[in-house]
Amino acid sequence: LDWSKPWASGAQFANICATIPNSKETKNLINILKEFSNSLVNPEVGGYFKNQTPSDKELVNGSMKIISGLDWIDHEIHYPHKLIDTCLTISPYSEGCDLVDTVYVLSKCYETTDYKRNEIEDYFRVLIEIIQQHFHEKTGGFSYYINKSQTHYYGVEISKGKNVADIHGTLLLTWAISLIIQHIQPESNPFKIIKP
C-alpha cells in the first residue's frame, strides 16, 4: 500500500483490524499489526504515514483510520500529545469527512490523556458551530458540504449537489456531534457510541 497516502492505506489497515477476532489463535497476527503500526507512526507530528509528511487533511484522515484499527486490536495511540498538538494547529475544515475525522482523532486522544483538555473542548465548540451550518431544519438532516449535498462517492456521481441534506452528511455529522457531546456535556449525552 502507498503509505504516503495514509487515508486510503489506513482504511485497509482498519478493515483488517476490525475483521480479526481477538483470541489466542490470532495473537501473533494482532502482534504483527501492532508492530506494523509502530513502523508507521511519526514521533514529530503523531500521525501515521511513511516518507514525507502528507497534507493536513491526509494526515488527520489517515490517523483516524489507523486509530480506529488500533481500537479494534486494543493498541494505544502512540503519541497522543503530538497528535493533539497537530490537530489543534490545523484550521477546521467544513467538509463532512474532514470534520468527523478531526473529531474522532481528538476524541480518542482525549480518552487517553488529560493533555490540553480545555483547548480540545474549545476546538470542539468551534466544530459544533461549523456542523450547525450543515443542518437542514426542514428535513432534520445534514448536508455533506455547507449548503450542498455530496455529489460523488468514490468517484461515482450520486447527486447534483443541491442545497439539501444527504445520508452521508447526516451519518457523519451526527456521529461527530455524539463524540463531541460525550466530552463537553457527558451528563446530557443521549448517544451510545459504537466502534466505527
Side-chain angles (χ1 to χ4, degrees):
L1 298 172
D2 181 1
W3 284 100
S4 65
K5 305 275 191 233
W7 178 79
S9 299
Q12 297 307 316
F13 176 86
N15 288 337
I16 292 168
C17 293
T19 57
I20 296 174
N22 199 345
S23 66
K24 276 185 175 181
E25 294 79 25
T26 60
K27 188 174 182 178
N28 285 342
L29 183 53
I30 289 172
N31 285 337
I32 290 169
L33 290 166
K34 289 178 180 180
E35 288 173 23
F36 183 71
S37 72
N38 296 343
S39 75
L40 293 174
V41 70
N42 180 288
E44 302 293 318
V45 297
Y48 298 86
F49 57 90
K50 287 189 177 178
N51 304 322
Q52 287 185 307
T53 303
S55 69
D56 291 342
K57 281 185 174 191
E58 190 80 34
L59 174 73
V60 173
N61 295 358
S63 295
M64 179 275 179
K65 303 299 189 219
I66 296 295
I67 291 169
S68 65
L70 296 177
D71 193 28
W72 280 104
I73 60 173
D74 297 320
H75 192 46
E76 71 280 349
I77 299 169
H78 294 78
Y79 297 101
H81 293 187
K82 290 291 186 181
L83 203 44
I84 288 168
D85 287 338
T86 297
C87 287
L88 293 179
T89 62
I90 298 170
S91 294
Y93 294 104
S94 63
E95 189 175 308
C97 281
D98 297 324
L99 270 168
V100 76
D101 288 351
T102 302
V103 169
Y104 182 81
V105 169
L106 285 172
S107 174
K108 296 308 284 184
C109 289
Y110 188 102
E111 291 172 9
T112 67
T113 180
D114 291 336
Y115 182 69
K116 293 194 175 180
R117 285 217 161 179
N118 291 337
E119 290 93 331
I120 294 171
E121 290 173 12
D122 289 343
Y123 197 85
F124 281 160
R125 288 182 183 91
V126 169
L127 294 177
I128 284 286
E129 290 177 15
I130 294 170
I131 291 169
Q132 288 174 332
Q133 295 174 48
H134 291 254
F135 186 64
H136 293 264
E137 190 169 351
K138 185 177 178 183
T139 57
F142 295 89
S143 53
Y144 187 83
Y145 301 101
I146 295 173
N147 300 323
K148 180 181 173 185
S149 63
Q150 187 174 11
T151 57
H152 291 78
Y153 193 74
Y154 288 98
V156 176
E157 185 177 3
I158 57 171
S159 88
K160 300 298 181 193
K162 294 184 179 179
N163 187 10
V164 296
D166 57 67
I167 294 170
H168 198 203
T170 300
L171 173 72
L172 291 174
L173 299 180
T174 301
W175 182 31
I177 290 167
S178 69
L179 290 168
I180 291 171
I181 288 175
Q182 80 174 349
H183 299 306
I184 64 173
Q185 293 179 326
E187 68 287 344
S188 62
N189 185 8
F191 299 102
K192 185 173 184 176
I193 301 168
I194 60 173
K195 290 181 185 182

